Amino acid sequence: MTESSEVKISSSGTKGLSGSAIKYIAIIAMAIDHYAWLFVPTRSFLGQLLHFIGRTTAPVMAFFITEGFHHTRDLKKYFIRLGVFAVVSQFAFAYFNTRHFFKLCKLSVIATLFLGLLTLWLYNSERIPKFLKVPAIVLILYASDHCDWGERIIWFVLAFEIARGKPREQIISYGLTAFVLKIIPIMTATLKAPASLVYNWMNFGVLLPIPLLMLYSGKRGGGKLSKWVFYIFYPLHLIILTYIRVKTR
């Protein structure tokens, strides 16, 4: 979904998966997740399994937002592209959540990714005093709570950014962040109410991006139009799935 980098994460040189291949896997996982929200009971084993797979997508998006920030040829156009698709996708996301295109609801994950990109700009900007960066990022974290996946994506983006250029450290940084944000709350809830694990184990899926990103070859892959696939697929599949759900109720 972004202009990928040539920085290798795979320890096997040029072998591994291209950025486009990983994004396509993430797109499939996203479609599986959204299908489950509409058609499969969340507390069922199948529902948990499909959502477990679906937890792959957001962290992978966060990773490629970080890559795209450093390798885009025009950051301004990158911001505009994300912003435009955040607006366009909001109608589809509202339809998915409320069955109405124009009903108010939280913002889509594209808006969260936009905030993630803004966070990266603030973090790396030399024009903004350091003492202003922390409160500015705190405001972004607050704003992200009104978006899909919320502040988790912001923290994932920062986790990948802080260790950028050191592939193994990036994976470790993400893994620790995911453990704190998602795994510890599951374990805590399970200790208090063991039965809660039945409808919470899907969140262990945030660990799936670890082996997937370890396979990243550092190559962009795909054609010139590949970066548009996610932007188009995201609102389109939400509309199609929701329309089928409405018509088959």
Side-chain angles (χ1 to χ4, degrees), residues 23-38:
K23 293 170 193 174
Y24 293 147
I25 292 172
I27 286 172
I28 292 171
M30 175 180 65
I32 289 172
D33 187 53
H34 290 152
Y35 169 84
W37 285 122
L38 291 173

Side-chain angles (χ1 to χ4, degrees), residues 22-188:
I22 292 176
K23 293 170 193 174
Y24 293 147
I25 292 172
I27 286 172
I28 292 171
M30 175 180 65
I32 289 172
D33 187 53
H34 290 152
Y35 169 84
W37 285 122
L38 291 173
F39 297 100
V40 184
T42 302
R43 296 193 179 192
S44 68
F45 175 81
L46 179 59
Q48 288 289 298
L49 177 61
L50 297 182
H51 292 310
F52 174 82
I53 295 170
R55 302 306 92 186
T56 302
T57 309
V60 169
M61 291 177 188
F63 172 76
F64 283 107
I65 282 291
T66 307
E67 292 288 273
F69 172 79
H70 289 280
H71 293 274
T72 183
R73 295 175 182 175
D74 191 324
L75 184 59
K76 183 178 179 180
K77 287 184 178 179
Y78 193 7
F79 267 114
I80 292 173
R81 184 165 66 248
L82 264 179
V84 168
F85 275 90
V87 173
V88 172
S89 298
Q90 187 59 33
F91 298 103
F93 189 67
Y95 184 50
F96 173 78
N97 280 283
T98 70
R99 309 301 184 263
H100 297 282
F101 285 104
F102 301 102
K103 197 165 185 177
L104 292 176
C105 68
K106 64 182 179 180
L107 302 182
S108 77
V109 73
I110 309 295
T112 327
L113 294 174
F114 179 90
L115 292 176
L117 185 62
L118 180 60
T119 302
L120 289 173
W121 177 78
L122 283 167
Y123 182 83
N124 289 281
S125 178
E126 296 180 355
R127 293 182 294 174
I128 300 176
K130 290 183 178 179
F131 74 90
L132 290 179
K133 289 185 178 183
V134 171
I137 291 176
V138 169
L139 286 175
I140 291 175
L141 287 166
Y142 174 78
S144 69
D145 275 340
H146 301 282
C147 306
D148 193 22
W149 271 83
E151 64 181 43
R152 296 177 186 88
I153 282 187
I154 309 301
W155 287 118
F156 292 160
V157 165
L158 287 172
F160 287 124
E161 177 64 18
I162 289 169
R164 195 174 182 283
K166 300 176 181 179
R168 288 180 178 81
E169 283 81 352
Q170 270 191 310
I171 297 299
I172 293 171
S173 179
Y174 165 73
L176 290 174
T177 303
F179 187 81
V180 170
L181 295 179
K182 297 292 284 185
I183 306 304
I184 288 180
I186 297 172
M187 296 169 64
T188 302

Side-chain angles (χ1 to χ4, degrees), residues 1 27 30 85 88-89 92 110 225-240:
M1 68 178 278
I27 286 172
M30 175 180 65
F85 275 90
V88 172
S89 298
I110 309 295
L225 298 178
S226 62
K227 68 181 180 182
W228 297 99
V229 172
F230 177 80
Y231 294 122
I232 296 171
F233 183 83
Y234 178 77
L236 184 61
H237 90 285
L238 288 178
I239 292 172
I240 292 173

